[in-house]
Amino acid sequence: MKKIRIGKPFNTEAIINFDDVIDIELKSVVSYLNISKDDGFKLTFDMGKSDIVYGLGENVGGLNKRGSIYDSFCTDEFIHTPDKKSLYAAHNLIIVDGERKFGLFVDHPGKVRFDIGFTYKNILEISAENANLDLYIIDGDSVKSITKKFRLAIGESYIPPKWAFGFQQSRWSYPDAKSITDITDKFRDNKIPCDTIYMDIDYMDNYKNFTIDEKKFPNFPKFVKEIKDKGFRLIPIIDAGCKKEDGYDINDEGLQKNLYCVDEDGKPFVGAVWPGKVHFPDFLNPKTRKWFGDKYNFLIDQGIEGFWNDMNEPAIFYSEKGIKKAFKKIDEIRDQNLDIYSFFDLKSTMSSISNSVEDYKSFYHKVDGKFIRHYDVHNQYGYNMTKAAGDSFSNNYPNKRFLLFSRASSVGMHRYGGIWTGDNKSWWEHLELNMKMMPSLNMVGFLYSGADIGGFGSDANSELITRWTQFGLFTPLLRNHAALGTRIQEPFSFDSETTDILRDTLNFRYALIPYIYSEYMKAVKDSESYFKPLSFEYEDDMSRRIEDQLLVGDSIMLAPVYKANSTGRNVWLPEEMLLWNAKKYTDINLEVKRSGFNYIDVDIDQTPLFIRKNKILLIGNHAQNVEAIDNTEITLISFVDRSATYTLYDDDGTTNNYKNGGFSELNISIIKRDDGLFTLSTNIKGTTNIKKINYNIVNTEGRIFTGSKTI
Ligand code: MIG
C-alpha cells in the first residue's frame, strides 16, 4: 500500500497499522493516475469500459458505483432517494476492478467528491477543495485481497456482545415504562424472540442527554432490572447536542471547562436540535471525549449495557445566526407580491437553515491547542463521539462488551462501534438499498451494521415487513425501527398469518446465531468480509455483475426477494448449490440446483438460502432470547462432492476473554469415501456445550445422508 502525503493533513486516525505502508512522493505516483493539487485536490483515472467501481460504504446507489456523483460529507439526510450524494457517513474508499485493480483511500476529514463516470462516462474524478490529505493506493490482484489489505490497515472491527445478534425492537418512541412493558409482554405472549427494546429521545427529561424523565420512568434502575429479568435489555439513545440550560449539569460543566465547540469570537457555539438551543461537545478535544464518554456511566450505573448515538453529523436544525438571518429576509419580503422565483426563495429560506454549510463554517474545535474550523474536519465528528463512548467503556469496564452504534461515521469508527443506516423509508427500494449497502460497509470495516427493518419513515405493509425481516435475518444488527407517526410495525402488529411467519423467520435467526456469530468473529479476526459480493469467490463474468445476491460468511449465498408482489425470483448460480427454501428451521428441505440461471418460487413464508458446494452450515436452536438458547444439539447441512470443512467459533459473548484464548473452535470435516459414503469427523479446541450433531449431507446426485454424531 502506497501513501502519498499532500500538504499538511489533519490526523484522522483512520489508518493505524502502517506495516504495509510505503511513503512515496507525489511525482512518483503510478502513471495511470493524474493528480493535481494546485487548485484543490484532483485525481483522475480513465476507466475501462467494463471496469467496476466498488466502495464508498454507506451511500445510495448499487454495489457498482459507476454513473453517479457521491460526496463524502456526513449529512442528516432523511430521504434516501437515488439522486442524493451523501448520507450520514464518509467512507472514502473506492476499489477499481478492471484490467487494473487498485483501491484508493482518500484520508481527509472534510468534503471529498467522487465523480464516478457521471460527468464523463469513462472518467473517475476525485476532488477536494482542501488539498491537505493522505492518499493511499492499495494494490492487489483482486477486490477481495485489496479489501483485506485495507482492513488490516484500519484495524480490527468492533465486537458487540452476543446478545446484540438477537432481534431488536425499536420505535420512536415507546414513551414510558408502561409502553415498554406492554411491548415486552406482547413479544412473550406471541412467542416471538427478542433481545432488546430501544428507548428513543422521549425517555429523557426535555431531551437532555444523561437524564431520565422521572414521571415516565419512576425508579429507572428497578425498571431496567425488571425488563432484564424478562429477558430484554434496554438501549437508550444519546444525541450529540446538549441542551443549553442553566443548572443542567452537562451544560454547566461543559461551559465551565470549555468543552463545547466555539464560534468565531470564541464563545460557545449555539445551534438548535431537539431540546431547542444546544451546545455541541467538541469531540475532537480529548478532554471533551473523556468527560462526555464517562457521562454514559449515568445510565450504565442504572443497569444499561448498550447505546445508539444519534444526530452526530452533527445535525443542526438551525443556528442562532442562521434563523435570525432567515427571519430578517422574510420580514423584508413580507409585503411583496411574490412571483415564482421569490416565492420559492421564500420557501427555501426556511428549509435551508438546517444543516447549512454556513453554520458548519462558523464554529470551531480545539485540537492540540489550535482552533480548527468545523467544516474542514466535519466528517470526524460522529467518529469522535463514538470514540468517546467506546474509550470510556474500555477504560471503565475493560472486560465487558457494550452494544454501541452510531448514525454518523467515518473510517476508523468501526473500531469503536457499528452503524445503522439511518432514516430509510418503508419502500421496497430501501430493502434493495439495504442489501446492496452491506458488502460496501464491510469493505470499510463496519461489520456490525444494519438498516431499520421495515423502514423508518412511511408506512410498511405486511409483505414488506416480512420480506425485509427475511433479509435482515442475516444482518448482524437486526432491528425493526419506525418513526413517530408511522404505522405500528412490530412483528405482531399485522395479521395473525404475518405474526406466524415472522415468528418462524425470527426463530430461524436465533437458530442461525452459531453460524452468524462464528462468521462475524472470524471476519473480524481475519479482516475479512461477512457480507461479500459473489465476485469475491466466483470469477465468472455474471458473478461480477450480480448485485442482488450476496455471500454471507463462507457457507451460504442469499437471494432475497425484494420486490412487491413477487412470488419468486431469478437466481444466478455460479456453480451447483443446495437450495433450502426455508419456512421453519426445523423443517429441512434440500434440493440440488444446477449452475446457471434458475427461477425459484418463493412464497411469502419462505427464505431461500443456498448452501455452497463443499461447505457446511450449522444450525442451532431458538429461544426467547440469545442467552436462553440451548445448543447442546445442533444440525449440520452440507453439500459435498469431495470434502468440506468448517470451523465453528464460539466464546462467552460478553467479555474480552477471547483475546486470551477464551474461545472454542469446533472443527468439522466431511470426506467422501471411495464407496460414496461420507466420513464426518470433529475435533474441539477449548470447551463447547455441543454434545450432538444431527447431520444432513447431500451428495451431487441429491441423495441425502442423515444421522447423528455425538461429540
Ligand atoms: O430527527 O430520535 O435517525 O432513528 O428515531 C430525528 C428520533 C432524530 C433520527 C434517527 C432516528 C430516531 C430519531 N432521530
Side-chain angles (χ1 to χ4, degrees):
M1 193 158 148
K2 300 186 186 84
K3 170 180 167 187
I4 300 110
R5 172 149 292 189
I6 298 172
K8 288 201 176 103
F10 176 89
N11 180 9
T12 65
E13 301 166 353
I15 307 281
I16 54 165
N17 181 355
F18 292 89
D19 295 350
D20 180 39
V21 175
I22 309 166
D23 290 281
I24 62 165
E25 299 284 313
L26 182 54
K27 59 179 186 304
S28 32
V29 166
V30 281
S31 60
Y32 54 85
L33 299 177
N34 293 305
I35 300 177
S36 66
K37 59 175 175 59
D38 299 330
D39 185 19
F41 169 79
K42 192 157 151 190
L43 173 152
T44 58
F45 168 72
D46 291 323
M47 296 184 286
K49 216 172 119 208
S50 57
D51 288 6
I52 291 177
V53 181
Y54 292 97
L56 299 181
E58 181 189 82
N59 217 317
V60 295
L63 252 179
N64 184 351
K65 291 283 186 268
R66 269 184 94 144
S68 299
I69 292 179
Y70 300 90
D71 285 334
S72 276
F73 194 75
C74 300
T75 304
D76 174 13
E77 173 55 73
F78 50 88
I79 307 179
H80 307 171
T81 42
D83 56 335
K84 295 296 157 61
K85 296 185 176 64
S86 319
L87 298 179
Y88 313 86
H91 297 154
N92 300 348
L93 172 76
I94 57 162
I95 303 176
V96 175
D97 178 20
E99 250 163 65
R100 290 188 193 287
K101 296 186 201 306
F102 59 94
L104 295 173
F105 175 60
V106 185
D107 191 0
H108 184 43
K111 184 169 171 174
V112 181
R113 168 158 289 200
F114 297 84
D115 180 340
I116 310 179
F118 176 78
T119 305
Y120 301 101
K121 70 176 182 204
N122 290 328
I123 294 187
L124 161 69
E125 182 182 293
I126 305 176
S127 57
E129 298 155 41
N130 176 346
N132 293 293
L133 54 89
D134 285 332
L135 173 71
Y136 291 84
I137 305 174
I138 312 148
D139 41 35
D141 51 17
S142 64
V143 179
K144 189 180 173 183
S145 68
I146 292 168
T147 305
K148 180 158 182 163
K149 280 189 194 169
F150 182 67
R151 291 273 308 283
L152 284 166
I154 61 177
E156 236 178 51
S157 300
Y158 157 79
I159 295 176
K162 201 197 265 181
W163 51 260
F165 289 84
F167 177 65
Q168 313 197 51
Q169 183 63 53
S170 185
R171 180 161 184 91
W172 173 19
S173 289
Y174 300 122
D176 52 23
K178 182 173 180 306
S179 62
I180 291 181
T181 304
D182 286 351
I183 288 293
T184 57
D185 287 345
K186 283 192 185 147
F187 271 100
R188 294 306 179 239
D189 292 349
N190 283 290
K191 296 201 162 22
I192 293 182
C194 181
D195 267 80
T196 69
I197 306 291
Y198 280 68
M199 300 175 74
D200 209 320
I201 43 178
D202 298 293
Y203 78 86
M204 297 182 225
D205 168 19
N206 280 303
Y207 309 123
K208 284 185 280 191
N209 279 326
F210 312 116
T211 66
I212 284 162
D213 186 328
E214 293 281 337
K215 278 186 240 84
K216 298 173 183 166
F217 293 95
N219 200 344
F220 189 60
K222 184 164 160 262
F223 178 63
V224 176
K225 183 163 184 312
E226 269 167 31
I227 294 292
K228 192 167 175 186
D229 290 344
K230 282 173 86 178
F232 299 85
R233 286 173 165 90
L234 295 173
I235 314 295
I237 196 169
I238 305 292
D239 278 26
C242 298
K243 188 169 170 60
K244 178 174 182 286
E245 180 184 281
D246 288 342
Y248 163 42
D249 56 347
I250 305 288
N251 175 76
D252 298 353
E253 281 173 37
L255 288 177
Q256 194 205 339
K257 299 179 183 162
N258 297 320
L259 301 172
Y260 288 118
C261 293
V262 295
D263 64 16
E264 293 94 332
D265 307 322
K267 300 217 177 66
F269 171 75
V270 180
V273 207
W274 287 108
K277 291 181 184 174
V278 298
H279 296 302
F280 291 97
D282 178 3
F283 291 119
L284 276 67
N285 175 348
K287 280 195 199 123
T288 306
R289 285 203 297 273
K290 169 89 177 74
W291 168 73
F292 194 88
D294 285 348
K295 292 294 174 195
Y296 286 73
N297 285 334
F298 168 76
L299 290 155
I300 294 172
D301 292 345
Q302 304 188 59
I304 293 299
E305 296 165 84
F307 301 89
W308 48 315
N309 284 344
D310 191 18
M311 306 292 272
N312 50 1
E313 295 71 30
I316 306 179
F317 290 173
Y318 62 86
S319 67
E320 273 183 333
K321 276 190 189 151
I323 200 163
K324 265 191 204 135
K325 220 168 117 187
F327 278 128
K328 191 165 164 247
K329 187 163 169 195
I330 289 169
D331 279 340
E332 279 164 18
I333 54 175
R334 190 182 294 276
D335 299 319
Q336 285 174 19
N337 175 3
L338 300 179
D339 64 6
I340 172 164
Y341 299 108
S342 45
F343 174 68
F344 281 102
D345 192 33
L346 168 67
K347 283 178 88 176
S348 79
T349 299
M350 269 304 159
S351 60
S352 64
I353 63 175
S354 292
N355 307 321
S356 85
V357 166
E358 221 174 297
D359 283 340
Y360 290 134
K361 286 185 171 168
S362 76
F363 68 92
Y364 295 81
H365 298 275
K366 200 167 187 186
V367 181
D368 299 332
K370 274 191 277 185
F371 286 101
I372 298 192
R373 191 167 68 153
H374 173 78
Y375 179 75
D376 299 318
V377 290
H378 175 73
N379 295 334
Q380 293 300 104
Y381 196 77
Y383 164 101
N384 278 294
M385 177 182 182
T386 302
K387 179 178 158 78
D391 280 343
S392 166
F393 302 161
S394 47
N395 282 335
N396 297 323
Y397 305 90
N399 202 26
K400 182 178 166 80
R401 295 189 215 167
F402 286 84
L403 171 58
L404 178 63
F405 59 91
S406 170
R407 196 172 69 176
S409 66
S410 55
V411 174
M413 204 202 83
H414 69 287
R415 300 189 295 265
Y416 302 96
I419 57 166
W420 94 102
T421 60
D423 300 349
N424 59 7
K425 293 207 183 265
S426 300
W427 295 343
W428 288 92
E429 290 78 0
H430 282 176
L431 163 54
E432 183 175 351
L433 184 61
N434 182 190
M435 172 176 69
K436 293 182 175 176
M437 219 188 271
M438 297 313 292
S440 309
L441 285 173
N442 279 212
M443 290 176 191
V444 287
F446 287 97
L447 300 193
Y448 191 75
S449 54
D452 289 349
I453 300 291
F456 174 73
S458 308
D459 296 331
N461 67 15
S462 62
E463 189 195 7
L464 179 64
I465 204 91
T466 304
R467 293 305 195 193
W468 211 326
T469 309
Q470 289 163 346
F471 170 67
L473 199 49
F474 299 92
T475 61
L477 166 59
L478 166 59
R479 184 181 74 145
N480 174 326
H481 179 46
L484 192 68
T486 59
R487 181 177 182 181
I488 301 298
Q489 67 179 39
E490 291 86 23
F492 39 75
S493 313
F494 297 84
D495 50 284
S496 65
E497 186 196 333
T498 303
T499 306
D500 291 344
I501 295 173
L502 291 175
R503 179 186 309 111
D504 288 340
T505 309
L506 292 171
N507 284 344
F508 193 14
R509 161 67 170 221
Y510 280 70
L512 279 167
I513 283 178
Y515 178 75
I516 291 175
Y517 188 68
S518 174
E519 293 304 297
Y520 184 93
M521 293 298 289
K522 288 186 285 182
V524 171
K525 291 176 149 197
D526 302 338
S527 298
E528 300 278 359
S529 287
Y530 167 90
F531 273 115
K532 293 175 282 192
L534 298 198
S535 61
F536 273 36
E537 303 297 338
Y538 298 102
E539 281 169 4
D540 59 282
D541 275 349
M542 193 56 75
S543 293
R544 278 185 80 224
R545 296 286 158 192
I546 295 283
E547 297 211 357
D548 62 354
Q549 297 172 212
L550 297 174
L551 300 170
V552 179
D554 191 45
S555 309
I556 57 182
M557 180 183 81
L558 296 186
V561 172
Y562 58 93
K563 295 213 159 117
N565 302 312
S566 295
T567 53
R569 58 161 289 172
N570 249 318
V571 183
W572 169 250
L573 295 184
E575 63 175 344
E576 55 183 352
M577 291 189 190
L578 194 60
L579 167 64
W580 181 14
N581 208 348
K583 287 185 194 243
K584 284 175 194 276
Y585 77 91
T586 44
D587 180 4
I588 295 172
N589 247 296
L590 305 165
E591 194 188 338
V592 176
K593 288 282 172 191
R594 301 295 165 206
S595 61
F597 275 108
N598 285 259
Y599 185 86
I600 314 276
D601 292 313
V602 189
D603 282 346
I604 188 68
D605 57 353
Q606 291 183 300
T607 301
L609 211 145
F610 294 84
I611 294 128
R612 296 172 62 202
K613 193 154 71 179
N614 296 319
K615 303 286 179 189
I616 295 172
L617 174 65
L618 294 175
I619 309 278
N621 302 283
H622 79 278
Q624 62 169 15
N625 68 8
V626 170
E627 280 163 2
I629 298 174
D630 172 3
N631 278 337
T632 43
E633 211 171 296
I634 61 169
T635 300
L636 173 153
I637 302 174
S638 185
F639 178 42
V640 190
D641 78 343
R642 292 187 316 277
S643 65
T645 57
Y646 186 75
T647 299
L648 183 74
Y649 169 97
D650 199 14
D651 60 27
D652 65 26
T654 58
T655 72
N656 296 321
N657 293 346
Y658 70 90
K659 290 183 180 164
N660 309 307
F663 62 88
S664 67
E665 278 177 357
L666 168 62
N667 294 299
I668 301 178
S669 116
I670 300 171
I671 294 176
K672 188 170 173 189
R673 304 190 318 225
D674 291 343
D675 61 3
L677 300 178
F678 295 92
T679 304
L680 172 70
S681 50
T682 56
N683 83 64
I684 299 160
K685 202 163 115 191
T687 48
T688 165
N689 292 327
I690 300 170
K691 302 253 162 4
K692 189 171 162 196
I693 302 178
N694 300 314
Y695 60 82
N696 303 266
I697 302 171
V698 180
N699 71 12
T700 44
E701 280 82 58
R703 215 176 125 203
I704 304 189
F705 300 81
T706 56
S708 64
K709 183 180 166 69
T710 45
I711 57 171

